[in-house]
Amino acid sequence: MQISTIRRFIGPLKFLRELRRHMGWLFKSFSWLKDKLSWMQYLNPMKYLSILDWYIIKKFIGTYFYSIILIISISIVFDVNENLAKFSQYHAPLRAIVFDYYMNFVPYFANLFSPLFVFIAVIFFTSRLAGNSEIIAMLAAGVSKHRLMRPYMISAAIISIMTFCLGAYVIPKGTIIRQNFESMYKNKTKNTAAENVQLQVGKGVIAYIQVYDDNLKKGYGFCLDKFENKKLVSHMTASEVQYDTISDSKYHWKAKNWRIRELKGLREKITSGAVKDTMIMMEPTDLVFSKGQQETFTSPQLRDYISKQIDRGSVNVVQYEVEYHKRIAMSFASFILTTIGLSLSSRKRKGGMGLYLGIGLALSFAYIMLQTVSSTFAINANTPPMLAAWIPNFIFAIVAYFCYRKAPN
């Protein structure tokens, strides 16, 4: 029985041996490629993370999300208590309250106060580590304060990337839904009309709309002038223009009761009609400006909008530039506030972490307030928008440097 079983496997074994003999070049190629790519093992970030790094990273990220859940939950309770009467008055459906308002309310405010949550997380869990003498044990084992900064900076980088992605790509889309909900069920007035709008929509092309209604995406009293060498060559008028919202591309408008006068030297050609589909390099967002509109644009949309408005010579672009640079600056705040928090709370003191939490809250609110003040400087005092967005980071980076120098070794 055993001999017959062995004979049963003789055929497959011979086949594998012949296959290896004929395909030996393939095995050698794999071996050669493995040797040549052995350097890629150094690109694996996990190779440089020790048990201590993972321990601190898990503590940091876990405490960060715990503080977000705790504080945002309290904020929701206060917000419900404040707006419950309005929700009842305007008959807001429960589904809209939960999914349109609060599902977009939570990410917006969590990202807005991310510096506060970072500071609280660092102060809270680092104070506990110091109180349990874990920081002392790390330093006594030969871990320097520079080495101790590594897991903190990795955690700050994770939070920084997450904050930027949320603020630049995700939250603006939710802000549109939240603002629409507020205008319907919280009676927050939203600017949906404009009068006497004049803007440059192309090189030597000036558009004018007497009255524009953003709800209907329709303008009345339309005029389009084209100039060449500072001379008028075409003058178009229409009783109304309608933006095509279902078109596959942008800038499609439908003009009604239109009339075009083309000037060629001393000659004049006049054409008219009832309806005309035309391409005009403007969109509804170029015509109506509402409070907080810059928060509804993703970063690529903001960049395109700013570039387009600058080309048109518009002066109403500062708040959009501030918003664009603020999103980048806020993502770097995680590194600065993490350094300050670690420097303040790594020393073991009597009295617990109450003092550190108080200092953390004060510095976090100071950072957020400074951001608001610097944005106001850019809008009202002609401060460069990029400088205004980075002023809080510059000031707190100096504070972080001196705190780090004074931290225990």
Side-chain angles (χ1 to χ4, degrees), residues 267-283:
R267 295 184 179 183
E268 181 179 349
K269 180 182 178 182
I270 299 177
T271 55
S272 60
V275 180
K276 179 181 178 66
D277 291 328
T278 182
M279 291 278 292
I280 305 173
M281 303 296 288
M282 64 180 185
E283 297 180 89

Side-chain angles (χ1 to χ4, degrees), residues 121-131 135 152 341-342 345-347:
V122 174
I123 293 287
F124 186 79
F125 90 87
T126 307
S127 297
R128 292 193 62 183
L129 293 180
I135 298 289
Y152 282 88
L342 174 60
S345 57
S346 59
R347 188 187 299 272

Side-chain angles (χ1 to χ4, degrees), residues 72-97:
I72 292 297
S73 300
I74 297 172
S75 302
I76 290 175
V77 171
F78 280 102
D79 191 79
V80 170
N81 183 58
E82 182 182 352
N83 296 308
L84 189 59
K86 289 184 179 180
F87 292 158
S88 302
Q89 179 183 354
Y90 294 101
H91 306 288
L94 181 61
R95 181 181 179 84
I97 294 173

